């Protein structure tokens, strides 16, 4: 069974940086499409960033583009989300997700298209 384990989030002031990691077990992360999502209280789960299997192509949500970077360390089987210039609007529970590389139409920012999920980690940004 594929398992995703996120690192602890944290509470930081606005303008700070924070890096989340997601360690994948039972499968090579490079063979899976990986994504980071977030969900704030009372809001829909939002696609933050995604990285495609094989090509390593990355995608970002409009609200984080230019501030967040998704990357992966194949040797460590880990995917990272580097978050810079954090604002209170970035406060949310952050989730790592993985999708098996298979045929079919899908969208990196659509949570329903992912097969496996981490437990979530809280990020709180104070003004």
């Amino acid at each position: 069974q594929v398992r995703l384990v996120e690192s602890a989030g944290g509470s930081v002031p606005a303008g700070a940086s924070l890096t989340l990691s997601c360690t994948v077990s039972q499968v090579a992360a490079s063979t899976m499409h990986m994504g980071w999502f977030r969900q704030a209280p009372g809001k829909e789960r939002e696609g933050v960033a995604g990285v495609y299997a094989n090509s390593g192509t990355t995608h970002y949500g409009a609200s984080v583009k230019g501030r967040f970077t998704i990357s992966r360390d194949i040797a460590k089987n880990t995917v990272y989300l580097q978050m810079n210039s954090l604002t209170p609007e970035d406060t949310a529970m952050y989730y790592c997700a993985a999708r098996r590389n298979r045929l079919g139409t899908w969208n990196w920012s659509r949570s329903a298209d992912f097969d496996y999920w981490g437990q979530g980690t809280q990020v709180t940004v104070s003004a």
Side-chain angles (χ1 to χ4, degrees), residues 54-73:
N54 301 328
S55 69
T57 301
T58 57
H59 295 271
Y60 296 94
S63 61
V64 306
K65 199 168 187 178
R67 299 189 299 122
F68 289 14
T69 302
I70 187 171
S71 62
R72 56 186 185 179
D73 185 327

Side-chain angles (χ1 to χ4, degrees), residues 31-45:
T31 67
M32 307 280 276
H33 303 296
M34 301 297 299
W36 283 98
F37 290 77
R38 66 185 183 187
Q39 188 166 20
K43 293 189 176 181
E44 298 280 322
R45 189 165 293 192

Side-chain angles (χ1 to χ4, degrees), residues 26-126:
Q26 303 302 324
V27 68
S30 59
T31 67
M32 307 280 276
H33 303 296
M34 301 297 299
W36 283 98
F37 290 77
R38 66 185 183 187
Q39 188 166 20
K43 293 189 176 181
E44 298 280 322
R45 189 165 293 192
E46 173 191 14
V48 175
V51 57
Y52 285 1
N54 301 328
S55 69
T57 301
T58 57
H59 295 271
Y60 296 94
S63 61
V64 306
K65 199 168 187 178
R67 299 189 299 122
F68 289 14
T69 302
I70 187 171
S71 62
R72 56 186 185 179
D73 185 327
I74 293 174
K76 294 183 179 180
N77 221 28
T78 299
V79 178
Y80 301 94
L81 184 68
Q82 170 72 41
M83 304 182 291
N84 297 327
S85 302
L86 286 162
T87 73
E89 288 67 39
D90 296 315
T91 295
M93 186 71 80
Y94 283 72
Y95 298 90
C96 176
R99 172 185 167 90
R100 294 186 307 274
N101 191 5
R102 61 185 183 277
L103 296 177
T105 301
W106 67 288
N107 189 303
W108 74 267
S109 64
R110 191 162 57 205
S111 60
D113 288 345
F114 284 77
D115 303 307
Y116 306 100
W117 291 85
Q119 78 282 5
T121 187
Q122 179 67 38
V123 173
T124 302
V125 184
S126 57

